[in-house]
Amino acid sequence: MPREILTLQIGQCGNQIGSEFWKQICLEHGISPEGLLQPHPSGTTVDDRKDVFFYQADDEHYIPRAMLIDLEPRVINKINTGPYRALFNPENLFVASDGGGAGNNWASGFRQGEEHLESIMEMIDREADAADSMEGFVLTHSIAGGTGSGLGSFMLEKLNDHFPKKLIQTYSVFPNWDQNQSDVVVQPYNSVLTLKRLCLNADAVVVLDNTALNRIAVDRLRLPNPTVDQLNSLVATIMAASTTTLRYPSYNNNDLIGLVASLIPTPRCHFLMSGYTPLVLADAQVSAIRKTTVLDVMRRLTQTKNIMVSASTRQGCYISMLNIISGENIDPTDVHKSLQRIREKRLVNFIPWGPASIQVALARKSPYVEVAHKVSGFMLANHTSMSSLFSRTITQFDKIKKRNAFLDNYRKEPMFAENLDEFDDSREVVQSLVEEYKACERPDYAS
């Protein structure tokens, strides 16, 4: 029985990483840019579950269960004129009629969400009703701009009201905190306001941190000036890897709730970091890593330099960790030996109040994609050092809030017309999240 997942791509960043994700999983399932299934090279049938992310149209084309939502037309127009223009359902593209965007203002994105709620909800309801047994939603967005953060926050609240029993997982791109590289001066305001909704209305948040993605592109892939497309293809690799066990099911972790339930001990601590090795960019099939073994891959996944979040795993401890290892004919005894070696060398530091276990899922490789490496590994982990990421956001927020800088555009919106209490509420929620993560490090947390 399929457990379908609907994808919502919101804002410029959400649609860019979303379209890269669809490109990647079309390759993995042998679906052409027009949505037609390619014959398998060896002539055998492939045992995969395309219907988790796609459905078939009347003419046998595969169509993604995706809704592309933006308040300005640039990115969606680019998708509409690109090679994958025939893939998406035209009814599922939503661009605001005035096309003015949210101007990097969270409150404007939130207000426009209310204005367009009916047409967006109609799209979502139509897709949800077409699914046999929908499991939940995946939302891609960034937290620093206007549309991804404001409209994204509004949709999180509405999805929670409208589908209370469904799981909501987000892939949230966190901004670059380096002062020379951040392009949105009000990003601390937008980020804190969005984090409150991610904290209260999402079930799992996979944090993708622009600072760390840049670092990985420069250090690991040796790209002196990584382009946005190259960073987006890194994100697409992560998204595709995290859904491998849903699309090529194995004995366990073959639905979203199974993946998430084992990683999140308490509802508030649901911000996950991810890592992937060996990293290879789609257009340059060259990697610094020449030989891969199960132990090698699992050891690399515990290293800070392979993690897509700029929070050091040397401080704090892991709450939970899931490795998805994919390759041909992986021997489970190799996995057990690797786990033993990692435990002996104390490479990973776990919480004192719970089981110190690394969960491992073995995934099959896509037969349609030729890869240079025998074994690749993906990690999703819940780690207490995530609090440093939120503390950094709060520090930046306090800097501009104490001067009441750049607040005029927010005051023009209905939510902030009377007072600015929402800012203080949001800051309080994020602060309590930081304290919750820090409390996880204490032995008496569970008692």
Side-chain angles (χ1 to χ4, degrees), residues 23-289:
K23 220 179 278 186
Q24 179 73 23
I25 69 167
C26 280
L27 281 176
E28 289 188 14
H29 287 288
I31 293 171
S32 72
E34 292 77 40
L36 291 167
L37 191 60
Q38 305 296 322
H40 185 259
S42 67
T44 52
T45 54
V46 180
D47 176 26
D48 61 0
R49 289 202 334 210
K50 298 178 193 65
D51 44 5
V52 173
F53 284 100
F54 295 90
Y55 59 89
Q56 272 188 294
D58 296 344
D59 57 1
E60 301 295 300
H61 280 61
Y62 279 93
I63 297 174
R65 299 179 190 277
M67 280 136 285
L68 287 64
I69 301 164
D70 205 350
L71 297 175
E72 48 138 21
R74 260 180 328 172
V75 180
I76 291 184
N77 282 354
K78 191 179 168 190
I79 293 169
N80 266 340
T81 52
Y84 284 80
R85 60 184 175 275
L87 183 67
F88 297 99
N89 179 352
E91 283 188 302
N92 287 0
L93 309 182
F94 175 84
V95 179
S97 45
D98 58 352
N104 286 331
N105 181 340
W106 182 92
S108 166
F110 198 87
R111 170 184 55 78
Q112 291 186 61
E114 289 178 2
E115 290 168 7
H116 300 301
L117 175 66
E118 206 171 307
S119 31
I120 295 175
M121 258 347 218
E122 187 189 327
M123 248 173 19
I124 295 172
D125 280 337
R126 186 183 67 245
E127 285 293 327
D129 292 343
D132 288 341
S133 60
M134 185 181 80
E135 182 165 31
F137 297 93
V138 162
L139 181 92
T140 60
H141 67 136
S142 82
I143 71 166
T147 308
S149 67
L151 179 60
S153 296
F154 181 76
M155 289 317 300
L156 276 173
E157 289 185 1
K158 288 297 165 223
L159 288 175
N160 227 347
D161 291 346
H162 210 72
F163 300 96
K165 296 249 168 72
K166 302 296 177 198
L167 212 67
I168 301 175
Q169 183 188 15
T170 75
Y171 290 88
S172 305
V173 177
F174 279 54
N176 222 323
W177 290 116
D178 182 351
Q179 291 303 320
N180 311 324
Q181 290 187 313
S182 69
D183 52 352
V184 181
V185 72
V186 289
Q187 70 185 25
Y189 289 153
N190 295 338
S191 300
V192 166
L193 290 162
T194 312
L195 275 171
K196 173 185 170 183
R197 274 75 191 177
L198 287 174
C199 195
L200 302 178
N201 299 308
D203 295 296
V205 176
V206 177
V207 175
L208 302 158
D209 183 355
N210 261 341
T211 321
L213 290 170
N214 263 315
R215 187 201 71 228
I216 285 173
V218 174
D219 296 352
R220 315 291 300 155
L221 295 169
R222 300 189 171 83
L223 300 168
N225 290 314
T227 63
V228 171
D229 285 345
Q230 286 169 328
L231 293 181
N232 287 345
S233 90
L234 277 184
V235 173
T237 305
I238 288 288
M239 289 178 68
S242 66
T243 58
T244 315
T245 53
L246 312 177
R247 298 180 287 112
Y248 285 93
S250 56
Y251 296 111
N252 54 4
N253 300 96
N254 49 16
D255 59 359
L256 196 56
I257 203 149
L259 273 177
V260 168
S262 55
L263 287 166
I264 297 165
T266 56
R268 297 295 286 280
C269 300
H270 60 242
F271 290 81
L272 308 174
M273 56 171 63
S274 56
Y276 189 84
T277 183
L279 275 170
V280 182
L281 274 182
D283 49 358
Q285 284 285 336
V286 185
S287 165
I289 299 165

Side-chain angles (χ1 to χ4, degrees), residues 275-278 289 291-304 306-307 313 318 321-326 330-343 345-348 350 356-362 375-381:
Y276 189 84
T277 183
I289 299 165
K291 181 169 167 47
T292 53
T293 62
V294 174
L295 172 61
D296 183 59
V297 162
M298 286 177 71
R299 191 192 285 127
R300 281 178 200 279
L301 288 177
T302 62
Q303 295 168 348
T304 300
N306 288 318
I307 287 170
T313 52
Y318 282 97
M321 187 173 180
L322 168 72
N323 286 348
I324 297 177
I325 309 287
S326 61
I330 292 173
D331 187 352
T333 53
D334 288 348
V335 175
H336 290 297
K337 279 179 191 162
S338 309
L339 286 171
Q340 205 169 349
R341 188 76 54 84
I342 287 169
R343 197 167 291 137
K345 291 197 169 179
R346 302 219 168 140
L347 293 176
V348 196
F350 271 94
S357 65
I358 300 176
Q359 299 164 66
V360 180
L362 297 180
V375 185
S376 60
F378 168 74
M379 176 196 76
L380 264 184

Side-chain angles (χ1 to χ4, degrees), residues 398-415:
D398 289 344
K399 260 186 204 163
I400 57 173
K401 181 72 170 66
K402 72 175 181 217
R403 297 244 183 285
N404 278 341
F406 309 113
L407 284 175
D408 286 354
N409 284 336
Y410 289 85
R411 287 200 175 99
K412 288 175 189 162
E413 299 295 340
M415 183 179 249

